[in-house]
Amino acid sequence: MADRRTFLKTLAGGAAFLLAPAGKLASNTTATDAGTSFAVVKSKDTAAAVRKSVELLGGMGAFVNKGETVFIKPNISWDKIPDQAATTNPLVVQTIVAMVIEAGAKKVIVADNTCNDARRSYKRSGIQEAAEKAGADVPFMEKRKFVRMDLGGDVLKEWEVYTEAFEADKIINVPVAKHHGLSGVTLSMKNLMGLIGGRRDLLHQKLSESIVDLAFFFKPNLTILDAVRILKAHGPQGSTLGDVERRDTIAASSDLVKIDAFGIDLFGEQFREKGLSGFPHLKMAEKKGLGTSDYRTNGYVGLDLDKT
Amino acid sequence: MMKNLRRTSQILFLLVFLILFIQTEYKGKDELGLPVRLFLDFDPLIALSSLLATHVVKKIFLLSLVTIALTFFLGRVFCGWVCPLGTLNTVIGYFRMRRPSRNPDDGNHPRMRKYKYYILVFILVAAVFGWNAAGFLDPISITIRSMAIGFNPAINGLVRAFFEFSYVLAVPGISPAMDSLYSILTGTLLAFEQPVFRQMIPIALIFSAILALNFVAPRFWCRYLCPLGALLGFVGYRQLFARVDVDGEKCVSCHMCNRSCQGDATPFPPGQWTSSECLICFNCKDVCPASAVRIHPSMKKTGDGKVDLQRRHIIATGVAAIAAVPLIGLGETGKRHSPDLIRPPGALPEDEFLRTCVKCGECMKVCLTNGLQPAFNQAGLEGLWTPVLVPRLGYCEFYCNLCNQVCPTGAIRSISLEEKQKIRIGLAFFDKNRCIPYALGRNCGVCEEHCPAPGKAITFLIEEGIDRSGKSFELKKPVVNPDLCIGCGICENKCPIVDKPGIRVSSINESRADYQLYL
Ligand code: SF4
Ligand code: SF4
């Protein structure tokens, strides 16, 4: 029952954030930049929201050093346009690439192992063009570049991993908040599925365990959740535009568990009944020491740029 | 001089053909810019047989009139200067021609020239009675099909193996450079993904055999078998603008013209030149040591050579064609539609489809997922090498409608993307004895995740499941809604049961046929 209570508390917090007038939210902000471990920024100006969220965490320089190779993992799974919210917003990706380059990275790679045809998904998501414009390499994941390695997970023992992601100095995970038919939602941990190859569809049978294993193995240095638009039904690829809701929200943290807990709250009513126990991966991740699902208490900052 | 011009033209057209062939792939645009079916559009055999078989006049057939007009004035320049298969034959036949032999008429078999006319008669008569067999023997169709299904996968496989080997070797300096080159080549000169085709080997072998016949006689196919060559020979035999004229006074009877002749048109002995067989290659003029050969416009009959066609053989061929039409329809599929006969979206109703499709393989080449495959027995003998979707190999991508853009005859009719997305090409069925949630009591839902149908044709029935440790959980059993399922097959394609999937698409419920409706 403990997790039920935490959940309610979290939910109350989340709901307060979501419902509270933005001005008040901003004034709630007490944490200093240095102490911030979880930043949520709302703005119609997506690029500004992305920049602000990372700034609140201490700037991109806190995550990326000069001369490093950075692997950015957006969700490019589907042959859908940005309005359909099945893939990460291209502007979010573009802004992150720009920031990483400004921070002095030597090389930025943006890639995903797609579900639909890779060429179409890269193209129609708008991510290929946007990321290339900002200076990233956007290669297709080619089979030969997946190498079987020991992931040391509970379920995922040995699996094919995309070498360029594994070898990069830093990984930035850029999921989009979506409903998921099987697991309820897909957020930061599930997004890491795009870094592995092989018969990953098998993992659906133990989805929660698998994605926690992945989070543990890859430990992305920074996760930026795209909730500019969220997909509320028929996820993870959606069906009609009626499934999409505009939220203009970006959340950033190096704590995947916080991001996922926050992401679930984003859906509000939809998952209230289920509670956190409806999302077993959170508890598993906490138990493994990956982070905490209580994103509200320590180092939380929420900002609405359009209201301040 | 003219000979070199002819060679240049052949090389250029072959290059255009290859470029268009390589372009017949998704290159980032929903609309394929270059008309990759260009060569087929200009092919009068395809136009004529389709017209006869379907009684439908299509605007696109007009282009083939250009070829007809050209042939009418200049003879078989299409064969000699343009046809890509002709050019391949020229190149291989060249080696044969250079082999010295004591027989002055080595490699020439004028008596076999008639066979191609009988083949043409067979095709046209069969077409009149409703069987469009042109695709099996039309040179452009053969070439595109053989390249797409046979050679392209093989070449890709070899080049890829080479690069993969270099990648695995990981030689410092060299391998990374090779690998960047490999990445550039994939999706440009190489296919984006290794193509895989059923019947790759037989189709490649048939084409290899056609090429190998050049060692029996140069351009064997073009001289003795090609029905398009026969059609053009017929259209152009009275041409007045490029007549070969051998001056009997100057001729030294060296037979060089005959031995260099691409078409077995017998310029020697003087007066025997056969207009319908001449490919206007200019070899005879080039090779004649006595400068006895002229090629020029002339109202005068410069050659009297004939192909010894016999009326009774023509009639026999026609009768055989008429008899063949009902026979080829006698297969099992004439009685019952095969469940595996899943046609690409936009395919005409099956009867019409069979009469219209020329088996060129362009749709299979362009198919984004490699799901379109040449039929073997799914559509009967008549439907050999027509396209069928094999969902285990590749599914129909929801936002793609490339195949109807490349179809030269409209067998896959031209449809907008919105229309395509509403066409049902089949219906998915769960095999509850294999589907994981049903058979093993565990969650899976990969099919549901991938189903692109608006509103989702796959939804979950939620039941209480009990796991090994006795804990209860939400077991999500997928079901298909036949009103929404379009039969795209991505569910079957992605089903993690890699051998026999837990969900399969069959052709029932396809929009194009009433008799296939499920309910
Ligand atoms: S079958 Fe589907 S995926 Fe293949 S080319 Fe046609 S429309 Fe595209
Ligand atoms: S074939 Fe499968 S994936 Fe395609 S619409 Fe039908 S149920 Fe959905």
Side-chain angles (χ1 to χ4, degrees):
Chain A
M1 275 291 97
D3 70 287
R4 172 102 193 142
R5 213 162 32 225
T6 351
F7 174 72
L8 286 175
K9 221 171 84 201
T10 320
L11 186 69
F17 163 71
L18 292 163
L19 303 172
K24 207 166 140 219
L25 250 178
S27 64
N28 268 349
T29 312
T30 48
T32 59
D33 284 0
T36 306
S37 60
F38 186 77
V40 179
V41 180
K42 268 190 100 165
S43 174
K44 290 228 164 353
D45 182 346
T46 301
V50 174
R51 285 191 175 270
K52 190 70 194 174
S53 68
V54 178
E55 227 169 75
L56 288 169
L57 298 178
M60 197 51 95
F63 300 98
V64 172
N65 299 320
K66 286 207 167 54
E68 284 185 334
T69 298
V70 179
F71 192 98
I72 298 178
K73 162 63 179 82
N75 187 326
I76 327 181
S77 276
W78 307 99
D79 175 14
K80 303 267 172 170
I81 57 173
D83 285 358
Q84 291 171 300
T87 46
T88 305
N89 188 299
L91 193 53
V92 172
V93 181
Q94 187 178 345
T95 313
I96 298 170
V97 173
M99 291 166 77
V100 168
I101 289 176
E102 286 157 23
K106 180 182 70 185
K107 189 174 177 189
V108 187
I109 305 168
V110 174
D112 191 9
N113 190 2
T114 63
C115 292
N116 286 137
D117 181 79
R119 292 162 290 181
R120 290 195 63 89
S121 306
Y122 271 49
K123 171 95 186 171
R124 293 226 316 150
S125 66
I127 291 175
Q128 186 175 35
E129 199 192 337
E132 275 174 358
K133 216 194 287 168
D137 283 352
V138 193
F140 296 112
M141 287 192 173
E142 293 162 296
K143 277 203 193 72
R144 66 182 180 283
K145 296 195 177 155
F146 287 96
V147 172
R148 210 172 165 83
M149 54 178 93
D150 188 1
L151 304 196
D154 294 336
V155 174
L156 277 175
K157 305 258 187 276
E158 267 197 356
W159 210 270
E160 286 84 352
V161 172
Y162 190 59
T163 34
E164 287 189 2
F166 178 74
E167 286 164 3
D169 299 306
K170 297 287 158 63
I171 295 179
I172 300 181
N173 184 21
V174 197
V176 49
K178 294 191 286 181
H179 164 264
H180 191 279
L182 184 64
S183 58
V185 283
T186 158
L187 295 156
S188 70
M189 293 193 225
K190 173 104 198 323
N191 194 40
L192 298 172
M193 288 270 262
L195 296 177
I196 59 170
R199 294 177 56 199
R200 55 196 178 130
D201 284 338
L202 283 178
L203 303 179
H204 269 64
Q205 294 163 56
K206 291 206 163 160
L207 198 55
S208 304
E209 292 85 344
S210 306
I211 63 177
V212 173
D213 283 350
L214 284 178
F216 197 75
F217 176 74
F218 285 109
K219 293 211 182 72
N221 304 74
L222 172 64
T223 294
I224 301 176
L225 177 70
D226 161 24
V228 175
R229 293 182 185 87
I230 67 173
L231 182 64
K232 297 204 71 174
H234 298 124
Q237 62 162 321
S239 156
T240 60
L241 288 180
D243 301 336
V244 179
E245 199 171 290
R246 192 150 182 144
R247 286 298 184 79
D248 290 314
T249 302
I250 301 290
S253 177
S254 50
D255 183 337
L256 294 167
V257 194
K258 281 187 176 175
I259 294 265
D260 276 18
F262 169 79
I264 292 164
D265 285 353
L266 267 178
F267 288 82
E269 283 295 331
Q270 205 167 337
F271 298 123
R272 188 155 301 174
E273 215 184 293
K274 268 183 140 181
L276 273 195
S277 55
F279 303 94
H281 76 283
L282 287 181
K283 211 166 132 197
M284 290 175 198
E286 277 185 322
K287 226 161 98 196
K288 276 198 144 185
L290 273 170
T292 161
S293 58
D294 182 6
Y295 62 88
R296 280 287 291 173
T297 40
N298 284 319
Y300 167 79
V301 180
L303 266 186
D304 188 330
L305 293 183
D306 300 345
K307 301 277 167 64
T308 45
Chain B
M1 206 272 288
M2 287 305 272
K3 180 174 134 193
N4 288 334
L5 204 63
R6 185 257 304 162
R7 282 185 172 167
T8 317
S9 157
Q10 283 184 295
I11 291 167
L12 282 180
F13 276 106
L14 186 62
L15 277 180
V16 171
F17 180 82
L18 289 176
I19 290 168
L20 293 181
F21 179 80
I22 289 168
Q23 281 303 117
T24 310
E25 185 171 358
Y26 176 75
K27 302 274 181 190
K29 292 221 179 66
D30 288 348
E31 307 287 325
L32 279 185
L34 280 169
V36 285
R37 23 174 259 215
L38 210 62
F39 279 82
L40 284 163
D41 290 344
F42 280 97
D43 182 336
L45 178 62
I46 295 292
L48 184 59
S49 67
S50 301
L51 187 68
L52 292 176
T54 61
H55 312 291
V56 183
V57 187
K58 302 210 172 79
K59 246 194 267 140
I60 202 75
F61 294 163
L62 285 177
L63 288 180
S64 65
L65 290 181
V66 174
T67 313
I68 295 283
L70 190 75
T71 310
F72 186 76
F73 292 113
L74 283 168
R76 285 170 68 184
V77 278
F78 178 85
C79 304
W81 292 54
V82 179
C83 176
L85 179 56
T87 303
L88 292 175
N89 283 332
T90 310
V91 173
I92 298 171
Y94 179 73
F95 295 104
R96 170 69 172 73
M97 277 190 176
R98 288 180 37 128
R99 216 167 57 190
S101 153
R102 241 174 275 151
N103 175 1
D105 279 322
D106 174 50
N108 291 346
H109 311 278
R111 285 167 66 210
M112 283 166 44
R113 304 189 294 202
K114 57 179 180 269
Y115 293 135
K116 61 178 175 297
Y117 294 93
Y118 297 147
I119 291 175
L120 175 68
V121 167
F122 186 94
I123 289 174
L124 296 183
V125 173
V128 170
F129 288 84
W131 175 29
N132 188 352
F136 292 115
L137 292 167
D138 175 80
I140 308 292
S141 188
I142 289 183
T143 310
I144 299 180
R145 174 174 67 236
S146 308
M147 302 245 288
I149 295 167
F151 283 37
N152 188 45
I155 293 168
N156 264 282
L158 286 174
V159 177
R160 272 156 201 277
F162 171 71
F163 279 109
E164 306 268 337
F165 185 61
S166 135
Y167 182 80
V168 174
L169 277 187
V171 187
I174 298 173
S175 288
M178 291 266 287
D179 204 50
S180 321
L181 176 66
Y182 186 20
S183 294
I184 294 169
L185 286 180
T186 20
T188 50
L189 283 182
L190 292 177
F192 184 70
E193 258 171 62
Q194 171 65 42
V196 172
F197 282 106
R198 292 178 167 180
Q199 302 185 68
M200 164 182 143
I201 290 175
I203 287 177
L205 281 182
I206 293 171
F207 197 62
S208 307
I210 290 175
L211 297 179
L213 281 175
N214 284 298
F215 290 102
V216 178
R219 294 196 72 158
F220 188 100
W221 165 267
C222 315
R223 292 169 167 192
Y224 311 130
L225 298 176
C226 180
L228 177 59
L231 179 63
L232 296 177
F234 177 72
V235 169
Y237 84 103
R238 281 175 192 280
Q239 55 104 343
L240 298 176
F241 284 86
R243 300 203 67 91
V244 174
D245 197 353
V246 181
D247 185 339
E249 313 251 295
K250 288 192 193 160
C251 173
V252 293
S253 303
C254 66
H255 288 251
M256 290 295 273
C257 53
N258 273 7
R259 294 186 59 174
S260 71
C261 178
Q262 292 271 321
D264 203 354
T266 53
F268 178 85
Q272 275 309 298
W273 173 68
T274 316
S275 170
S276 65
E277 304 307 298
C278 175
L279 311 184
I280 332 289
C281 72
F282 282 87
N283 277 359
C284 52
K285 180 172 188 309
D286 192 70
V287 84
C288 180
S291 305
V293 181
R294 285 208 302 156
I295 300 180
H296 60 137
S298 159
M299 297 295 283
K300 214 177 68 201
K301 226 182 186 180
T302 52
D304 225 0
K306 290 248 156 41
V307 178
D308 58 347
L309 291 174
Q310 302 197 4
R311 178 167 302 153
R312 59 198 168 95
H313 288 164
I314 294 178
I315 293 172
T317 310
V319 171
I322 296 171
V325 175
L327 289 180
I328 51 129
L330 281 185
E332 180 189 344
T333 47
K335 186 163 184 187
R336 200 177 262 282
H337 198 97
S338 159
D340 295 329
L341 187 52
I342 305 172
R343 292 293 191 194
L348 300 175
E350 188 61 17
D351 279 358
E352 272 176 71
F353 184 85
L354 287 176
R355 266 183 271 131
T356 317
C357 169
V358 288
K359 299 116 192 144
C360 64
E362 289 223 32
C363 54
M364 303 175 222
K365 169 73 170 64
V366 86
C367 183
L368 202 62
T369 65
N370 201 184
L372 286 185
Q373 296 282 326
F376 182 57
N377 59 359
Q378 297 90 327
L381 200 54
E382 219 177 332
L384 181 72
W385 301 334
T386 54
V388 287
L389 187 79
V390 181
R392 279 265 92 170
L393 296 179
Y395 59 94
C396 180
E397 189 75 89
F398 191 62
Y399 287 94
C400 167
N401 70 343
L402 291 175
C403 50
N404 76 64
Q405 295 176 31
V406 298
C407 180
T409 56
I412 310 174
R413 75 199 152 82
S414 161
I415 43 175
S416 69
L417 189 58
E418 293 75 55
E419 192 183 351
K420 179 250 166 172
Q421 289 173 339
K422 293 197 190 93
I423 293 175
R424 299 183 312 266
I425 58 175
L427 177 59
F429 289 86
F430 282 102
D431 180 346
K432 293 189 179 173
N433 288 320
R434 295 188 69 87
C435 170
I436 293 166
Y438 290 103
L440 307 177
R442 287 188 204 160
N443 277 327
C444 170
V446 174
C447 50
E448 187 269 353
E449 172 172 324
H450 284 87
C451 178
K456 289 268 179 203
I458 299 179
T459 46
F460 291 128
L461 290 178
I462 299 181
E463 280 177 21
E464 187 187 1
I466 308 285
D467 71 10
R468 291 248 175 100
S469 58
K471 253 189 22 208
S472 91
F473 68 100
E474 270 186 3
L475 179 63
K476 297 180 166 176
K477 294 182 167 173
V479 282
V480 175
N481 178 345
D483 296 331
L484 295 181
C485 175
I486 51 174
C488 70
I490 194 171
C491 49
E492 176 177 339
N493 185 265
K494 304 278 180 180
C495 175
I497 312 174
V498 282
D499 59 345
K500 269 192 198 162
I503 184 162
R504 300 200 80 148
V505 175
S506 63
S507 61
I508 195 82
N509 213 32
E510 49 174 352
S511 324
R512 67 188 181 123
D514 294 343
Y515 64 88
Q516 280 277 78
L517 288 185
Y518 192 57
L519 291 172

